[in-house]
Amino acid sequence: DVRSSATGGAWVNVFRQQGAGSANPDHRAIDISAAAGRASSVQVRFHDYNGSSEWWWELDNVRIDTGAYVGCDMPVCGGAQPNVARPVADGLFGTPMLASRANGAGSSIALTWDTSTCTSTDHHVLFGDLGNVASVSPTGAFCDLGTSGNATWTQVPAGNLWFVIAGDNNATIEGTWGTDGVGGQRGGPSPSGFCGMTSRNNGTTCP
């Protein structure tokens, strides 16, 4: 059965096997395009009912595919992702990071970032002197922020700083630092070298 925005949310039966047995395995390719094609939301279900002396019924290795991709919206990646370094939401998607002083001296900063739109296995802060922000060359980092979307950056250096939150895979790979005003990657392709990061993946996207 299929239901979708194209069926008005009603379940529509597209295949029924009744009154006969089948081979084992019985490979099937079922066209659901009439009920699912170009729909903005689709659900598929399988069920057995009114059974009598049926022996058994099983189903596995289901794949839903399309032969002509017209573009699609990627699903929101909620929750910590295993071994991935994804972008941190910056307002172009999701909610941008917020930062505020956690004490009067400014040596602690409370950070909040969006992990409901997209999150990595771990996160870290990269920072540098504000006078060198054009080069985006970090001079330090604060590591292991976790995945809650809330952390306090302690022992913040004195002076005027730029800083970003980057995702990492809790090992050696960090994600993008975001893009600059003309769409280029901040800091280019090289890893920061901080928090054990030895490579950088600017290619992942989210959502």
Side-chain angles (χ1 to χ4, degrees), residues 39-132:
S40 59
S41 61
V42 179
Q43 289 180 297
V44 176
R45 71 180 180 185
F46 304 87
H47 57 105
D48 180 34
Y49 62 98
N50 290 337
S52 177
S53 301
E54 291 189 320
W55 288 31
W56 67 80
W57 179 84
E58 61 184 297
L59 172 78
D60 66 1
N61 298 329
V62 175
R63 185 179 73 182
I64 300 173
D65 202 359
T66 176
Y69 295 98
V70 186
C72 61
D73 295 324
M74 296 301 292
V76 170
C77 24
Q81 303 294 311
N83 197 35
V84 295
R86 297 183 186 274
V88 174
D90 59 2
L92 295 177
F93 72 93
T95 303
M97 176 192 71
L98 297 175
S100 61
R101 288 188 180 189
N103 61 17
S107 59
S108 292
I109 295 178
L111 302 170
T112 303
W113 68 100
D114 183 352
T115 57
S116 63
T117 302
C118 194
T119 191
S120 300
T121 310
D122 199 1
H123 298 83
H124 58 276
V125 170
L126 297 172
F127 64 86
D129 186 281
L130 188 61
N132 298 323

